[in-house]
Amino acid sequence: MNRLFIPLQGAQMLFVAFGALVLMPLLSGLDTSVALFTAGLGTLLFQVITKRQVPIFLASSFAFIAPIMYGVQTWGIPVTMGGLMVAGFVYVILGALVKINGSGFIHKLLPPVVVGPVIIIIGLGLAPMAVNMALGKTGDGSAVLVEQNIALFIAIMSLSTTVAIAVLAKGILKVMPILAGILVGYGLSMVFGIIDFTPVNQAPWLAVPNFVAPEFHWQAILFMIPVAIAPAVEHIGDLLAISNVTGKDYMKKPGLHRTLTGDGIATMAASAFGGPPNTTYSEVTGAVTLTKSFDPRIMTWTAITAITLAFIGKLGALMQTIPLPVMGGIMCLLFGSIAAVGLNTLIRNQVDLNEPRNLSIVGVTLVFGIGGMAFGIGEFSLTGISLCGLVAILMNLILPKTPEDQKAQ
């Protein structure tokens, strides 16, 4: 009887991840149907590489929103996908290094003093876009698409719903705050008449997603590689979380080297089809915790469901009609939460900011990221998260270690 319910449990897990899964491509200008397809494909590849031992679902990574937006505006989607594919290959390299040197290698290269400020920048760097969209403007604030008072009301209600569900809800509903916020905001948008359903009416019921083949350009590649830092560390955190939930040490079996490699292959496969990079989804881990559904076969059916939905043309068109204020309101919480994760990384690991070395790394990284620092030589330029990640790593390697750091290693 249990086996009969596994496909239904798989569909339920996709329902949990659905809001965040589609929100990321909507924000970064990618196709939501492609994102569904590549999330399913990436999860299946991850299961093959990890021998289907880990109950984890992979989907759109929010850490890549700003880099993808910059890449699409600068080089276009195909070249951006090429850069992302190489960023995925960085995961594979990290997996190989972990197998050779052990997981301690990751902690030496990417200690909390490096990872914390980079994650903070990922969140705070996107804050202006969230506010602009909540006010009914385009992400860069250059044009008004929805009247401000209406947009602000919809955004606040979407945000309030998301917060209320995250804080007050019980059971499975508690891990679906983004989906709940989208539904409430979408309903209000219908009441105010700001949704155009013409694309949905014109879309066929069945349609092949708008796949995009990658192209490779050295500027995009060098820009994207440092961005892989934060998701790689997030991967380790999610792996530890699911290990605690299930009582199994996935860091040892199938091993961190396999899971990192699986994540990298999933991201490379997603980029090959024009989808956003994949990462492990904490929402689904939360649902696994609540439902005690530890069977990895459930995630196989989650992936199959995602791939199936990707070919429903009207669903893809419907997702594209989600109004800017709805996304903006939810992002006010979402991007702030990302920054808070970075802050918590520093606090939880007791990074002493009274120590000049640590203060220098964190301070320079934050100012470069928030201030929009850019370094360029000829056609090559580094800015945003890529620059911050590289600067934090270099400062950590170059500045002399404190006695406490040396003891920790």
Side-chain angles (χ1 to χ4, degrees), residues 27-63:
L27 296 175
S28 53
L30 302 180
D31 189 281
T32 51
S33 295
V34 175
L36 274 167
F37 177 85
T38 55
L41 175 63
T43 300
L44 292 178
L45 289 172
F46 178 86
Q47 289 197 327
V48 170
I49 292 167
T50 59
K51 301 179 179 178
R52 201 159 73 169
Q53 296 182 48
V54 190
I56 275 181
F57 181 70
L58 278 67
S60 317
S61 170
F62 278 87

Side-chain angles (χ1 to χ4, degrees), residues 115-137:
V115 175
V118 171
I119 296 177
I120 292 173
I121 291 300
I122 290 173
L124 294 186
L126 296 167
M129 180 175 71
V131 172
N132 283 330
M133 292 174 69
L135 293 174
K137 303 176 184 178

Side-chain angles (χ1 to χ4, degrees), residues 13-26:
M13 291 300 175
L14 181 62
F15 195 60
V16 169
F18 195 83
L21 194 164
V22 302
L23 189 60
M24 188 278 186
L26 284 172

Side-chain angles (χ1 to χ4, degrees), residues 362-387:
V362 174
V364 171
T365 304
L366 290 178
V367 170
F368 276 20
I370 296 173
M373 178 64 77
F375 289 160
I377 301 175
E379 293 184 357
F380 174 70
S381 64
L382 268 180
T383 185
I385 301 165
S386 301
L387 176 62

